[in-house]
Amino acid sequence: MPHVEARYQRYRRDRFVIVGAHTPEFAFEHVESNVAAAVRQLHAGFLIAIVNNHTTWNAYRKSYWPAEYLIDRDGNVRHLATGEGDYGQTEALIRELLIEADPLVQLPARTDVPDLTPKTPSRQRRTSAWTTSAT
């Protein structure tokens, strides 16, 4: 979560929006006050929706978590990454989308968030191909 919050703080003035979708797995994760406490503990400043019925998970046909989707201003999914790591690549793609949306945008200096996630076989990052055309 620290890298997600850092991106949000860095680019929110440039109309970058993050919406987290919390899909509970265990009974205690369905309790709104438990989720709110976790959000406060993680210092998340962006919107996090609680999706108790898995509709978002199912709509995106998710099989892995965590998952990051980059969606352009027209609502097209332009990038999907699952697992942890490769934060620099994702940030570069975020910057590319922001420039595409507004070629005159003055983005802050890029500051890569170090990847502190240990690499384990079950948590290796999978990424989709970057597409530049809307479908």
Side-chain angles (χ1 to χ4, degrees):
M1 276 285 280
H3 65 283
V4 177
E5 181 63 24
R7 286 183 196 144
Y8 175 69
Q9 293 302 325
R10 189 173 308 121
Y11 298 114
R12 67 184 181 161
R13 285 178 225 89
D14 303 304
R15 299 189 314 187
F16 177 66
V17 177
I18 293 178
V19 177
H22 171 67
T23 305
E25 182 177 3
F26 303 106
F28 73 90
E29 295 177 315
H30 288 264
V31 179
E32 188 175 327
S33 61
N34 292 342
V35 176
V39 168
R40 281 191 303 277
Q41 182 180 7
L42 293 169
H43 305 289
F46 52 89
L47 175 66
I48 298 177
I50 302 171
V51 189
N52 285 328
N53 57 7
H54 289 73
T55 54
T56 303
W57 180 279
N58 294 334
Y60 281 90
R61 297 184 179 126
K62 287 181 61 176
S63 299
Y64 305 97
W65 66 270
E68 294 177 335
Y69 296 83
L70 296 183
I71 302 172
D72 67 18
R73 68 179 176 181
D74 296 322
N76 299 302
V77 175
R78 300 283 295 274
H79 177 72
L80 163 62
T82 59
E84 298 169 324
D86 290 333
Y87 302 133
Q89 176 194 13
T90 301
E91 181 161 351
L93 297 173
I94 289 168
R95 294 174 68 85
E96 189 174 320
L97 280 174
L98 289 170
I99 291 168
E100 182 180 298
D102 180 1
L104 301 177
V105 68
Q106 297 293 313
L107 297 176
R110 182 172 170 175
T111 309
D112 288 326
V113 176
D115 184 356
L116 304 175
T117 306
K119 298 295 181 200
T120 62
S122 64
R123 286 289 200 201
Q124 290 182 348
R125 190 140 170 110
R126 301 170 188 235
T127 60
S128 67
W130 177 250
T131 43
T132 55
S133 61
T135 54

